[in-house]
Amino acid sequence: DQNFIRYCSIKVICVMLLFCEISTLPLVFINHLDVLPQHYGLYIFPAFICYIFATIFASKYCQHNVNKAIKAGLMMIIASNAVLLLLINNLELEAGIIQLVKIFTYIGWGFIFGNATAEIVSSVPGKAGMASALMIGLEMLFSSIGIYILGLFFNGTIFPLCFFMIFWASISLYIAHRISKV
């Protein structure tokens, strides 16, 4: 099913980006920005709270326009990482500023994950279990590959992560745009 393939592609890419983020940020924050390991969670916690509220908002208000919600989420991911790329050139970024901007990435994921998963499962009636299993398997596979690729470019800054996220979120946005045309 074309919708299954498209929404699954978007979800798999976005989960890969999440795993790339949660595997890279601790290295940047702790090893290069001198955040104490016991304080790292304090930087991440507000972003996940924003993710939860975005998920609740998206489930209540975006049910009738799932593709627009997914596109909005992808644009938030692209915009927040683009802002960080611009700030890297003009400021010495601290962990707090990075997370303040990154909150919009987490809000974007809140708009995407539930909506895309619902579309994936509903696109193959009677095979929801198989669709979920395939989706989760692909998420794990692509997350591993994404972390490996991102690791090749890791330089202690968030630059490679931001560039990687913009690149893959743009591809997902193109896929979402193609869904609108069908």
Side-chain angles (χ1 to χ4, degrees):
D1 181 84
Q2 291 295 319
N3 275 341
F4 172 83
I5 292 170
R6 289 183 178 118
Y7 283 111
C8 192
S9 298
I10 292 167
K11 175 87 185 316
V12 165
I13 289 169
C14 288
V15 168
M16 173 189 69
L17 294 177
L18 173 64
F19 275 93
C20 286
E21 172 131 337
I22 63 177
S23 66
T24 302
L25 278 186
L27 298 173
V28 173
F29 282 18
I30 294 167
N31 295 341
H32 299 281
L33 296 178
D34 299 323
V35 170
L36 295 173
Q38 61 268 29
H39 293 157
Y40 175 73
L42 299 174
Y43 288 93
I44 302 303
F45 183 73
F48 278 108
I49 294 297
C50 289
Y51 164 78
I52 290 167
F53 283 120
T55 301
I56 293 167
F57 177 84
S59 71
K60 287 186 178 215
Y61 300 108
C62 301
Q63 292 174 350
H64 301 294
N65 213 328
V66 169
N67 203 42
K68 279 190 178 179
I70 290 171
K71 284 180 179 179
L74 290 166
M75 287 188 274
M76 283 188 245
I77 293 169
I78 293 167
S80 67
N81 284 281
V83 166
L84 284 172
L85 285 180
L86 292 172
L87 291 176
I88 288 171
N89 293 326
N90 299 318
L91 297 173
E92 187 172 321
L93 292 180
E94 296 176 4
I97 294 188
I98 291 170
Q99 278 309 96
L100 185 63
V101 177
K102 280 282 189 183
I103 280 175
F104 293 98
T105 295
Y106 288 78
I107 292 171
W109 283 322
F111 276 62
I112 296 164
F113 288 156
N115 286 315
T117 301
E119 291 298 314
I120 290 164
V121 172
S122 67
S123 67
V124 285
K127 297 181 181 178
M130 185 177 7
S132 294
L134 180 59
M135 174 189 69
I136 292 168
L138 290 171
E139 288 169 356
M140 289 187 289
L141 174 66
F142 277 79
S143 294
S144 299
I145 294 168
I147 292 168
Y148 173 77
I149 292 169
L150 188 55
L152 296 174
F153 298 98
F154 183 72
N155 64 0
T157 71
I158 60 162
F159 179 83
L161 175 65
C162 292
F163 183 79
F164 191 79
M165 293 185 81
I166 291 169
F167 177 79
W168 285 106
S170 297
I171 289 173
S172 292
L173 188 59
Y174 173 76
I175 294 167
H177 179 70
R178 297 295 301 162
I179 293 170
S180 301
K181 297 289 185 185
V182 175

